[in-house]
Amino acid sequence: MELIQSFSVDHTRIVPGIFISRVDYLGDHSVTTYDIRLKRPNREPVIDVAAMHSLEHIIATFLRNDPDWKDEVIYWGPMGCLTGFYLILKGNRTPQELYELMLRAFKSVGDVQEVPGAAPVNCGHYLMHNLEMAKWYAKEFAAYLEANAENSNIFEYPKTKRLMTDDGQHFYDS
């Protein structure tokens, strides 16, 4: 079975940032999945589950209401490993083109007074939210983005080295 594209990223070397995870083509149109990575995998503690849930609600609401981007947004949701989020957009923009959007989105969390959609009729686990921790993680990530705006490593995935045997078998180090 072939290893999927997101597992070919060297998770021992990835840093927080904005990365293209994959591009899919649907006829003449493309859809791009972005990896919005807040934590270094396997090095830093993951994001608290309740804070992650709150960030999902807050930033999804922000993105789907942003006048310049709302028509491009297909999906915003957490990674199972709790180190970041996936953003799926129509089209194929560079990670650098998403920088200002992500910076604004994460900075906006600090102004939120209550988590949108955190009620039993709107959410499958409405009690599992932590707005104050969500604000802390958002502030940390926004500060990181600002401090590293000129660092190309926050926009380019480190790739795993693929070893190949003489008979063509691939081995992956991730």
mmCIF file of all heavy atoms in Angstrom, residues 17-19 21 33-39 47-60 63 75-88 102 106 109 134 137-138 141 157:
data_model
loop_
_atom_site.group_PDB
_atom_site.id
_atom_site.type_symbol
_atom_site.label_atom_id
_atom_site.label_comp_id
_atom_site.label_asym_id
_atom_site.label_seq_id
_atom_site.Cartn_x
_atom_site.Cartn_y
_atom_site.Cartn_z
ATOM 1 N N GLY A 17 3.973 26.373 11.082
ATOM 2 C CA GLY A 17 3.912 27.187 9.880
ATOM 3 C C GLY A 17 2.685 26.908 9.048
ATOM 4 O O GLY A 17 1.708 26.320 9.514
ATOM 5 N N ILE A 18 2.755 27.341 7.794
ATOM 6 C CA ILE A 18 1.657 27.230 6.828
ATOM 7 C C ILE A 18 2.214 26.492 5.615
ATOM 8 O O ILE A 18 3.105 27.002 4.942
ATOM 9 C CB ILE A 18 1.162 28.635 6.417
ATOM 10 C CG1 ILE A 18 0.731 29.438 7.647
ATOM 11 C CG2 ILE A 18 0.033 28.525 5.391
ATOM 12 C CD1 ILE A 18 0.583 30.936 7.378
ATOM 13 N N PHE A 19 1.695 25.303 5.339
ATOM 14 C CA PHE A 19 2.250 24.456 4.296
ATOM 15 C C PHE A 19 1.161 23.933 3.360
ATOM 16 O O PHE A 19 0.027 23.748 3.780
ATOM 17 C CB PHE A 19 2.952 23.237 4.920
ATOM 18 C CG PHE A 19 3.910 23.590 6.012
ATOM 19 C CD1 PHE A 19 3.548 23.488 7.339
ATOM 20 C CD2 PHE A 19 5.178 24.047 5.709
ATOM 21 C CE1 PHE A 19 4.432 23.825 8.355
ATOM 22 C CE2 PHE A 19 6.080 24.387 6.711
ATOM 23 C CZ PHE A 19 5.703 24.269 8.037
ATOM 24 N N SER A 21 -0.329 20.845 1.884
ATOM 25 C CA SER A 21 -0.330 19.414 2.155
ATOM 26 C C SER A 21 -0.574 18.628 0.872
ATOM 27 O O SER A 21 0.077 17.630 0.618
ATOM 28 C CB SER A 21 -1.405 19.079 3.190
ATOM 29 O OG SER A 21 -1.438 17.702 3.445
ATOM 30 N N THR A 33 -5.294 21.565 0.065
ATOM 31 C CA THR A 33 -5.309 21.320 1.507
ATOM 32 C C THR A 33 -4.041 21.908 2.092
ATOM 33 O O THR A 33 -2.938 21.585 1.640
ATOM 34 C CB THR A 33 -5.380 19.812 1.813
ATOM 35 O OG1 THR A 33 -6.544 19.261 1.192
ATOM 36 C CG2 THR A 33 -5.436 19.553 3.314
ATOM 37 N N TYR A 34 -4.212 22.762 3.084
ATOM 38 C CA TYR A 34 -3.088 23.398 3.762
ATOM 39 C C TYR A 34 -2.949 22.822 5.166
ATOM 40 O O TYR A 34 -3.944 22.545 5.840
ATOM 41 C CB TYR A 34 -3.294 24.910 3.858
ATOM 42 C CG TYR A 34 -3.365 25.567 2.510
ATOM 43 C CD1 TYR A 34 -4.578 25.714 1.851
ATOM 44 C CD2 TYR A 34 -2.208 26.011 1.874
ATOM 45 C CE1 TYR A 34 -4.653 26.299 0.601
ATOM 46 C CE2 TYR A 34 -2.269 26.593 0.615
ATOM 47 C CZ TYR A 34 -3.493 26.731 -0.015
ATOM 48 O OH TYR A 34 -3.567 27.296 -1.269
ATOM 49 N N ASP A 35 -1.729 22.664 5.585
ATOM 50 C CA ASP A 35 -1.372 22.237 6.931
ATOM 51 C C ASP A 35 -1.037 23.510 7.695
ATOM 52 O O ASP A 35 -0.071 24.190 7.371
ATOM 53 C CB ASP A 35 -0.160 21.308 6.808
ATOM 54 C CG ASP A 35 0.482 20.900 8.121
ATOM 55 O OD1 ASP A 35 0.375 21.640 9.118
ATOM 56 O OD2 ASP A 35 1.151 19.860 8.134
ATOM 57 N N ILE A 36 -1.859 23.849 8.669
ATOM 58 C CA ILE A 36 -1.601 25.000 9.527
ATOM 59 C C ILE A 36 -1.082 24.417 10.842
ATOM 60 O O ILE A 36 -1.845 24.006 11.712
ATOM 61 C CB ILE A 36 -2.870 25.854 9.749
ATOM 62 C CG1 ILE A 36 -3.573 26.161 8.417
ATOM 63 C CG2 ILE A 36 -2.534 27.116 10.529
ATOM 64 C CD1 ILE A 36 -2.745 26.910 7.389
ATOM 65 N N ARG A 37 0.226 24.342 10.940
ATOM 66 C CA ARG A 37 0.882 23.608 12.037
ATOM 67 C C ARG A 37 1.253 24.561 13.171
ATOM 68 O O ARG A 37 2.038 25.467 12.988
ATOM 69 C CB ARG A 37 2.134 22.932 11.488
ATOM 70 C CG ARG A 37 2.778 21.968 12.426
ATOM 71 C CD ARG A 37 2.014 20.699 12.602
ATOM 72 N NE ARG A 37 1.868 19.988 11.348
ATOM 73 C CZ ARG A 37 1.808 18.674 11.236
ATOM 74 N NH1 ARG A 37 1.893 17.903 12.302
ATOM 75 N NH2 ARG A 37 1.641 18.107 10.059
ATOM 76 N N LEU A 38 0.691 24.327 14.354
ATOM 77 C CA LEU A 38 0.952 25.178 15.507
ATOM 78 C C LEU A 38 2.055 24.644 16.402
ATOM 79 O O LEU A 38 2.675 25.410 17.146
ATOM 80 C CB LEU A 38 -0.319 25.343 16.353
ATOM 81 C CG LEU A 38 -1.346 26.355 15.873
ATOM 82 C CD1 LEU A 38 -1.983 25.967 14.562
ATOM 83 C CD2 LEU A 38 -2.406 26.562 16.933
ATOM 84 N N LYS A 39 2.271 23.341 16.386
ATOM 85 C CA LYS A 39 3.227 22.700 17.293
ATOM 86 C C LYS A 39 4.188 21.796 16.527
ATOM 87 O O LYS A 39 3.827 21.221 15.501
ATOM 88 C CB LYS A 39 2.485 21.851 18.338
ATOM 89 C CG LYS A 39 1.594 22.652 19.256
ATOM 90 C CD LYS A 39 2.423 23.514 20.160
ATOM 91 C CE LYS A 39 1.609 24.309 21.137
ATOM 92 N NZ LYS A 39 2.439 25.135 21.987
ATOM 93 N N ILE A 47 -1.802 20.447 21.460
ATOM 94 C CA ILE A 47 -2.791 21.430 21.893
ATOM 95 C C ILE A 47 -3.860 20.729 22.717
ATOM 96 O O ILE A 47 -4.356 19.656 22.361
ATOM 97 C CB ILE A 47 -3.415 22.129 20.662
ATOM 98 C CG1 ILE A 47 -2.315 22.816 19.853
ATOM 99 C CG2 ILE A 47 -4.497 23.125 21.087
ATOM 100 C CD1 ILE A 47 -2.746 23.245 18.483
ATOM 101 N N ASP A 48 -4.206 21.338 23.826
ATOM 102 C CA ASP A 48 -5.260 20.831 24.692
ATOM 103 C C ASP A 48 -6.535 20.595 23.872
ATOM 104 O O ASP A 48 -6.907 21.446 23.053
ATOM 105 C CB ASP A 48 -5.505 21.863 25.798
ATOM 106 C CG ASP A 48 -6.717 21.555 26.626
ATOM 107 O OD1 ASP A 48 -6.634 20.660 27.479
ATOM 108 O OD2 ASP A 48 -7.763 22.213 26.394
ATOM 109 N N VAL A 49 -7.183 19.462 24.092
ATOM 110 C CA VAL A 49 -8.342 19.072 23.282
ATOM 111 C C VAL A 49 -9.461 20.120 23.339
ATOM 112 O O VAL A 49 -10.017 20.489 22.307
ATOM 113 C CB VAL A 49 -8.873 17.681 23.706
ATOM 114 C CG1 VAL A 49 -10.151 17.329 22.968
ATOM 115 C CG2 VAL A 49 -7.824 16.618 23.493
ATOM 116 N N ALA A 50 -9.782 20.607 24.518
ATOM 117 C CA ALA A 50 -10.866 21.587 24.635
ATOM 118 C C ALA A 50 -10.484 22.912 23.966
ATOM 119 O O ALA A 50 -11.322 23.552 23.325
ATOM 120 C CB ALA A 50 -11.220 21.807 26.108
ATOM 121 N N ALA A 51 -9.227 23.308 24.072
ATOM 122 C CA ALA A 51 -8.774 24.529 23.401
ATOM 123 C C ALA A 51 -8.790 24.339 21.890
ATOM 124 O O ALA A 51 -9.173 25.245 21.142
ATOM 125 C CB ALA A 51 -7.372 24.902 23.886
ATOM 126 N N MET A 52 -8.386 23.155 21.436
ATOM 127 C CA MET A 52 -8.398 22.842 20.000
ATOM 128 C C MET A 52 -9.823 22.949 19.461
ATOM 129 O O MET A 52 -10.056 23.502 18.388
ATOM 130 C CB MET A 52 -7.835 21.433 19.787
ATOM 131 C CG MET A 52 -7.614 21.057 18.366
ATOM 132 S SD MET A 52 -6.092 21.832 17.811
ATOM 133 C CE MET A 52 -5.561 20.724 16.567
ATOM 134 N N HIS A 53 -10.758 22.415 20.218
ATOM 135 C CA HIS A 53 -12.163 22.464 19.822
ATOM 136 C C HIS A 53 -12.632 23.914 19.723
ATOM 137 O O HIS A 53 -13.311 24.296 18.757
ATOM 138 C CB HIS A 53 -12.989 21.673 20.843
ATOM 139 C CG HIS A 53 -14.396 21.423 20.440
ATOM 140 N ND1 HIS A 53 -15.360 21.107 21.363
ATOM 141 C CD2 HIS A 53 -15.025 21.442 19.239
ATOM 142 C CE1 HIS A 53 -16.520 20.937 20.745
ATOM 143 N NE2 HIS A 53 -16.340 21.139 19.457
ATOM 144 N N SER A 54 -12.246 24.728 20.696
ATOM 145 C CA SER A 54 -12.633 26.142 20.663
ATOM 146 C C SER A 54 -11.996 26.865 19.481
ATOM 147 O O SER A 54 -12.661 27.650 18.794
ATOM 148 C CB SER A 54 -12.238 26.827 21.976
ATOM 149 O OG SER A 54 -12.951 26.258 23.056
ATOM 150 N N LEU A 55 -10.711 26.595 19.230
ATOM 151 C CA LEU A 55 -10.045 27.204 18.067
ATOM 152 C C LEU A 55 -10.723 26.786 16.771
ATOM 153 O O LEU A 55 -10.856 27.589 15.846
ATOM 154 C CB LEU A 55 -8.562 26.823 18.035
ATOM 155 C CG LEU A 55 -7.672 27.524 19.046
ATOM 156 C CD1 LEU A 55 -6.297 26.876 19.080
ATOM 157 C CD2 LEU A 55 -7.573 29.015 18.745
ATOM 158 N N GLU A 56 -11.154 25.535 16.700
ATOM 159 C CA GLU A 56 -11.865 25.072 15.500
ATOM 160 C C GLU A 56 -13.107 25.926 15.263
ATOM 161 O O GLU A 56 -13.328 26.425 14.163
ATOM 162 C CB GLU A 56 -12.253 23.606 15.658
ATOM 163 C CG GLU A 56 -13.094 23.095 14.496
ATOM 164 C CD GLU A 56 -13.751 21.759 14.785
ATOM 165 O OE1 GLU A 56 -13.724 21.286 15.934
ATOM 166 O OE2 GLU A 56 -14.322 21.192 13.838
ATOM 167 N N HIS A 57 -13.918 26.103 16.283
ATOM 168 C CA HIS A 57 -15.149 26.885 16.159
ATOM 169 C C HIS A 57 -14.868 28.344 15.815
ATOM 170 O O HIS A 57 -15.491 28.921 14.920
ATOM 171 C CB HIS A 57 -15.945 26.828 17.465
ATOM 172 C CG HIS A 57 -16.761 25.605 17.650
ATOM 173 N ND1 HIS A 57 -18.119 25.659 17.889
ATOM 174 C CD2 HIS A 57 -16.435 24.286 17.653
ATOM 175 C CE1 HIS A 57 -18.594 24.418 18.037
ATOM 176 N NE2 HIS A 57 -17.578 23.568 17.900
ATOM 177 N N ILE A 58 -13.935 28.938 16.541
ATOM 178 C CA ILE A 58 -13.668 30.376 16.383
ATOM 179 C C ILE A 58 -13.089 30.687 15.006
ATOM 180 O O ILE A 58 -13.546 31.600 14.312
ATOM 181 C CB ILE A 58 -12.721 30.872 17.496
ATOM 182 C CG1 ILE A 58 -13.400 30.744 18.868
ATOM 183 C CG2 ILE A 58 -12.293 32.312 17.231
ATOM 184 C CD1 ILE A 58 -12.429 30.844 20.046
ATOM 185 N N ILE A 59 -12.083 29.917 14.604
ATOM 186 C CA ILE A 59 -11.422 30.238 13.344
ATOM 187 C C ILE A 59 -12.270 29.817 12.148
ATOM 188 O O ILE A 59 -12.292 30.519 11.131
ATOM 189 C CB ILE A 59 -9.987 29.676 13.316
ATOM 190 C CG1 ILE A 59 -9.172 30.416 14.390
ATOM 191 C CG2 ILE A 59 -9.363 29.836 11.932
ATOM 192 C CD1 ILE A 59 -7.754 29.982 14.552
ATOM 193 N N ALA A 60 -13.022 28.731 12.268
ATOM 194 C CA ALA A 60 -13.945 28.375 11.185
ATOM 195 C C ALA A 60 -14.950 29.503 10.977
ATOM 196 O O ALA A 60 -15.250 29.884 9.835
ATOM 197 C CB ALA A 60 -14.663 27.067 11.496
ATOM 198 N N LEU A 63 -13.116 32.485 9.296
ATOM 199 C CA LEU A 63 -12.831 32.251 7.876
ATOM 200 C C LEU A 63 -14.090 32.314 7.016
ATOM 201 O O LEU A 63 -14.078 32.868 5.919
ATOM 202 C CB LEU A 63 -12.152 30.894 7.688
ATOM 203 C CG LEU A 63 -10.755 30.748 8.289
ATOM 204 C CD1 LEU A 63 -10.297 29.293 8.212
ATOM 205 C CD2 LEU A 63 -9.768 31.669 7.590
ATOM 206 N N TYR A 75 -13.185 23.886 4.089
ATOM 207 C CA TYR A 75 -13.102 23.171 5.365
ATOM 208 C C TYR A 75 -12.009 23.759 6.238
ATOM 209 O O TYR A 75 -10.949 24.153 5.751
ATOM 210 C CB TYR A 75 -12.800 21.694 5.096
ATOM 211 C CG TYR A 75 -12.555 20.856 6.325
ATOM 212 C CD1 TYR A 75 -13.610 20.398 7.102
ATOM 213 C CD2 TYR A 75 -11.260 20.526 6.710
ATOM 214 C CE1 TYR A 75 -13.383 19.631 8.237
ATOM 215 C CE2 TYR A 75 -11.025 19.757 7.836
ATOM 216 C CZ TYR A 75 -12.094 19.312 8.598
ATOM 217 O OH TYR A 75 -11.860 18.556 9.716
ATOM 218 N N TRP A 76 -12.256 23.793 7.537
ATOM 219 C CA TRP A 76 -11.266 24.097 8.573
ATOM 220 C C TRP A 76 -11.495 23.106 9.694
ATOM 221 O O TRP A 76 -12.593 23.014 10.229
ATOM 222 C CB TRP A 76 -11.456 25.529 9.105
ATOM 223 C CG TRP A 76 -10.636 25.821 10.327
ATOM 224 C CD1 TRP A 76 -11.046 25.735 11.634
ATOM 225 C CD2 TRP A 76 -9.265 26.218 10.368
ATOM 226 N NE1 TRP A 76 -10.015 26.069 12.475
ATOM 227 C CE2 TRP A 76 -8.903 26.374 11.722
ATOM 228 C CE3 TRP A 76 -8.294 26.473 9.396
ATOM 229 C CZ2 TRP A 76 -7.632 26.755 12.126
ATOM 230 C CZ3 TRP A 76 -7.029 26.857 9.787
ATOM 231 C CH2 TRP A 76 -6.709 27.001 11.132
ATOM 232 N N GLY A 77 -10.483 22.337 10.043
ATOM 233 C CA GLY A 77 -10.660 21.366 11.120
ATOM 234 C C GLY A 77 -9.340 20.892 11.693
ATOM 235 O O GLY A 77 -8.281 21.042 11.082
ATOM 236 N N PRO A 78 -9.407 20.289 12.879
ATOM 237 C CA PRO A 78 -8.196 19.885 13.592
ATOM 238 C C PRO A 78 -7.558 18.621 13.027
ATOM 239 O O PRO A 78 -8.225 17.748 12.486
ATOM 240 C CB PRO A 78 -8.704 19.628 15.013
ATOM 241 C CG PRO A 78 -10.126 19.218 14.828
ATOM 242 C CD PRO A 78 -10.619 20.002 13.636
ATOM 243 N N MET A 79 -6.244 18.544 13.181
ATOM 244 C CA MET A 79 -5.510 17.313 12.869
ATOM 245 C C MET A 79 -5.741 16.336 14.021
ATOM 246 O O MET A 79 -5.801 16.748 15.182
ATOM 247 C CB MET A 79 -4.016 17.594 12.764
ATOM 248 C CG MET A 79 -3.646 18.452 11.609
ATOM 249 S SD MET A 79 -1.864 18.760 11.652
ATOM 250 C CE MET A 79 -1.726 19.699 10.137
ATOM 251 N N GLY A 80 -5.798 15.086 13.695
ATOM 252 C CA GLY A 80 -5.969 14.071 14.728
ATOM 253 C C GLY A 80 -4.843 14.060 15.748
ATOM 254 O O GLY A 80 -5.048 13.726 16.908
ATOM 255 N N CYS A 81 -3.645 14.456 15.340
ATOM 256 C CA CYS A 81 -2.490 14.469 16.244
ATOM 257 C C CYS A 81 -2.482 15.680 17.165
ATOM 258 O O CYS A 81 -1.624 15.793 18.042
ATOM 259 C CB CYS A 81 -1.187 14.405 15.455
ATOM 260 S SG CYS A 81 -0.927 15.840 14.381
ATOM 261 N N LEU A 82 -3.403 16.611 16.978
ATOM 262 C CA LEU A 82 -3.569 17.800 17.805
ATOM 263 C C LEU A 82 -2.371 18.744 17.769
ATOM 264 O O LEU A 82 -2.091 19.465 18.719
ATOM 265 C CB LEU A 82 -3.896 17.425 19.261
ATOM 266 C CG LEU A 82 -5.157 16.579 19.454
ATOM 267 C CD1 LEU A 82 -5.303 16.178 20.911
ATOM 268 C CD2 LEU A 82 -6.392 17.312 18.974
ATOM 269 N N THR A 83 -1.664 18.773 16.622
ATOM 270 C CA THR A 83 -0.557 19.715 16.467
ATOM 271 C C THR A 83 -0.908 20.852 15.516
ATOM 272 O O THR A 83 -0.099 21.755 15.319
ATOM 273 C CB THR A 83 0.722 19.012 15.971
ATOM 274 O OG1 THR A 83 0.485 18.444 14.687
ATOM 275 C CG2 THR A 83 1.187 17.953 16.952
ATOM 276 N N GLY A 84 -2.085 20.810 14.919
ATOM 277 C CA GLY A 84 -2.468 21.859 13.988
ATOM 278 C C GLY A 84 -3.823 21.608 13.365
ATOM 279 O O GLY A 84 -4.601 20.779 13.848
ATOM 280 N N PHE A 85 -4.061 22.319 12.264
ATOM 281 C CA PHE A 85 -5.350 22.271 11.575
ATOM 282 C C PHE A 85 -5.142 22.047 10.087
ATOM 283 O O PHE A 85 -4.077 22.358 9.546
ATOM 284 C CB PHE A 85 -6.091 23.603 11.757
ATOM 285 C CG PHE A 85 -6.518 23.858 13.165
ATOM 286 C CD1 PHE A 85 -5.661 24.477 14.057
ATOM 287 C CD2 PHE A 85 -7.771 23.471 13.601
ATOM 288 C CE1 PHE A 85 -6.049 24.714 15.368
ATOM 289 C CE2 PHE A 85 -8.169 23.695 14.914
ATOM 290 C CZ PHE A 85 -7.304 24.322 15.796
ATOM 291 N N TYR A 86 -6.186 21.557 9.438
ATOM 292 C CA TYR A 86 -6.226 21.511 7.980
ATOM 293 C C TYR A 86 -7.191 22.585 7.501
ATOM 294 O O TYR A 86 -8.273 22.751 8.054
ATOM 295 C CB TYR A 86 -6.699 20.147 7.472
ATOM 296 C CG TYR A 86 -5.669 19.076 7.650
ATOM 297 C CD1 TYR A 86 -5.885 18.024 8.521
ATOM 298 C CD2 TYR A 86 -4.466 19.117 6.939
ATOM 299 C CE1 TYR A 86 -4.928 17.032 8.683
ATOM 300 C CE2 TYR A 86 -3.502 18.135 7.102
ATOM 301 C CZ TYR A 86 -3.743 17.103 7.977
ATOM 302 O OH TYR A 86 -2.787 16.132 8.142
ATOM 303 N N LEU A 87 -6.750 23.305 6.486
ATOM 304 C CA LEU A 87 -7.585 24.295 5.815
ATOM 305 C C LEU A 87 -7.674 23.864 4.361
ATOM 306 O O LEU A 87 -6.639 23.675 3.715
ATOM 307 C CB LEU A 87 -6.960 25.688 5.924
ATOM 308 C CG LEU A 87 -7.600 26.799 5.097
ATOM 309 C CD1 LEU A 87 -9.051 27.039 5.514
ATOM 310 C CD2 LEU A 87 -6.790 28.081 5.223
ATOM 311 N N ILE A 88 -8.879 23.696 3.855
ATOM 312 C CA ILE A 88 -9.073 23.334 2.455
ATOM 313 C C ILE A 88 -9.741 24.520 1.761
ATOM 314 O O ILE A 88 -10.783 25.007 2.205
ATOM 315 C CB ILE A 88 -9.926 22.061 2.304
ATOM 316 C CG1 ILE A 88 -9.273 20.893 3.059
ATOM 317 C CG2 ILE A 88 -10.108 21.711 0.826
ATOM 318 C CD1 ILE A 88 -10.099 19.618 3.086
ATOM 319 N N MET A 102 -4.074 33.946 7.993
ATOM 320 C CA MET A 102 -3.871 33.147 9.202
ATOM 321 C C MET A 102 -3.473 34.037 10.380
ATOM 322 O O MET A 102 -3.947 33.833 11.497
ATOM 323 C CB MET A 102 -2.812 32.073 8.965
ATOM 324 C CG MET A 102 -3.263 30.941 8.064
ATOM 325 S SD MET A 102 -4.617 29.964 8.794
ATOM 326 C CE MET A 102 -6.044 30.677 8.007
ATOM 327 N N PHE A 106 -5.806 34.129 13.736
ATOM 328 C CA PHE A 106 -5.344 33.776 15.077
ATOM 329 C C PHE A 106 -5.338 34.980 16.013
ATOM 330 O O PHE A 106 -5.629 34.835 17.204
ATOM 331 C CB PHE A 106 -3.989 33.062 15.003
ATOM 332 C CG PHE A 106 -4.143 31.609 14.652
ATOM 333 C CD1 PHE A 106 -4.144 31.196 13.329
ATOM 334 C CD2 PHE A 106 -4.326 30.658 15.643
ATOM 335 C CE1 PHE A 106 -4.314 29.863 12.995
ATOM 336 C CE2 PHE A 106 -4.500 29.327 15.328
ATOM 337 C CZ PHE A 106 -4.492 28.916 14.005
ATOM 338 N N VAL A 109 -8.797 35.715 17.688
ATOM 339 C CA VAL A 109 -9.239 34.869 18.809
ATOM 340 C C VAL A 109 -9.184 35.653 20.119
ATOM 341 O O VAL A 109 -10.042 35.484 20.990
ATOM 342 C CB VAL A 109 -8.393 33.578 18.886
ATOM 343 C CG1 VAL A 109 -8.773 32.741 20.106
ATOM 344 C CG2 VAL A 109 -8.557 32.752 17.603
ATOM 345 N N ALA A 134 -7.588 28.549 24.382
ATOM 346 C CA ALA A 134 -7.606 28.812 22.940
ATOM 347 C C ALA A 134 -6.954 30.158 22.661
ATOM 348 O O ALA A 134 -6.161 30.304 21.721
ATOM 349 C CB ALA A 134 -9.037 28.777 22.404
ATOM 350 N N TYR A 137 -3.088 29.733 23.023
ATOM 351 C CA TYR A 137 -2.470 29.085 21.854
ATOM 352 C C TYR A 137 -2.491 30.005 20.630
ATOM 353 O O TYR A 137 -1.520 30.059 19.866
ATOM 354 C CB TYR A 137 -3.185 27.774 21.513
ATOM 355 C CG TYR A 137 -2.902 26.648 22.470
ATOM 356 C CD1 TYR A 137 -3.902 26.147 23.292
ATOM 357 C CD2 TYR A 137 -1.642 26.057 22.539
ATOM 358 C CE1 TYR A 137 -3.657 25.099 24.163
ATOM 359 C CE2 TYR A 137 -1.389 25.006 23.409
ATOM 360 C CZ TYR A 137 -2.400 24.533 24.221
ATOM 361 O OH TYR A 137 -2.160 23.489 25.085
ATOM 362 N N ALA A 138 -3.586 30.707 20.432
ATOM 363 C CA ALA A 138 -3.700 31.610 19.276
ATOM 364 C C ALA A 138 -2.687 32.739 19.368
ATOM 365 O O ALA A 138 -2.037 33.079 18.369
ATOM 366 C CB ALA A 138 -5.121 32.162 19.181
ATOM 367 N N PHE A 141 0.795 31.342 18.591
ATOM 368 C CA PHE A 141 1.014 31.071 17.170
ATOM 369 C C PHE A 141 1.129 32.366 16.368
ATOM 370 O O PHE A 141 1.986 32.484 15.490
ATOM 371 C CB PHE A 141 -0.095 30.177 16.608
ATOM 372 C CG PHE A 141 0.148 29.731 15.192
ATOM 373 C CD1 PHE A 141 1.276 28.996 14.845
ATOM 374 C CD2 PHE A 141 -0.754 30.042 14.192
ATOM 375 C CE1 PHE A 141 1.505 28.583 13.548
ATOM 376 C CE2 PHE A 141 -0.543 29.632 12.874
ATOM 377 C CZ PHE A 141 0.594 28.901 12.554
ATOM 378 N N TYR A 157 7.476 22.423 3.505
ATOM 379 C CA TYR A 157 7.576 21.159 4.213
ATOM 380 C C TYR A 157 8.973 20.555 4.097
ATOM 381 O O TYR A 157 9.534 20.503 3.007
ATOM 382 C CB TYR A 157 6.662 20.136 3.543
ATOM 383 C CG TYR A 157 5.295 19.926 4.144
ATOM 384 C CD1 TYR A 157 4.265 19.486 3.330
ATOM 385 C CD2 TYR A 157 5.025 20.098 5.491
ATOM 386 C CE1 TYR A 157 3.005 19.230 3.826
ATOM 387 C CE2 TYR A 157 3.764 19.851 6.006
ATOM 388 C CZ TYR A 157 2.766 19.416 5.168
ATOM 389 O OH TYR A 157 1.528 19.160 5.669
#
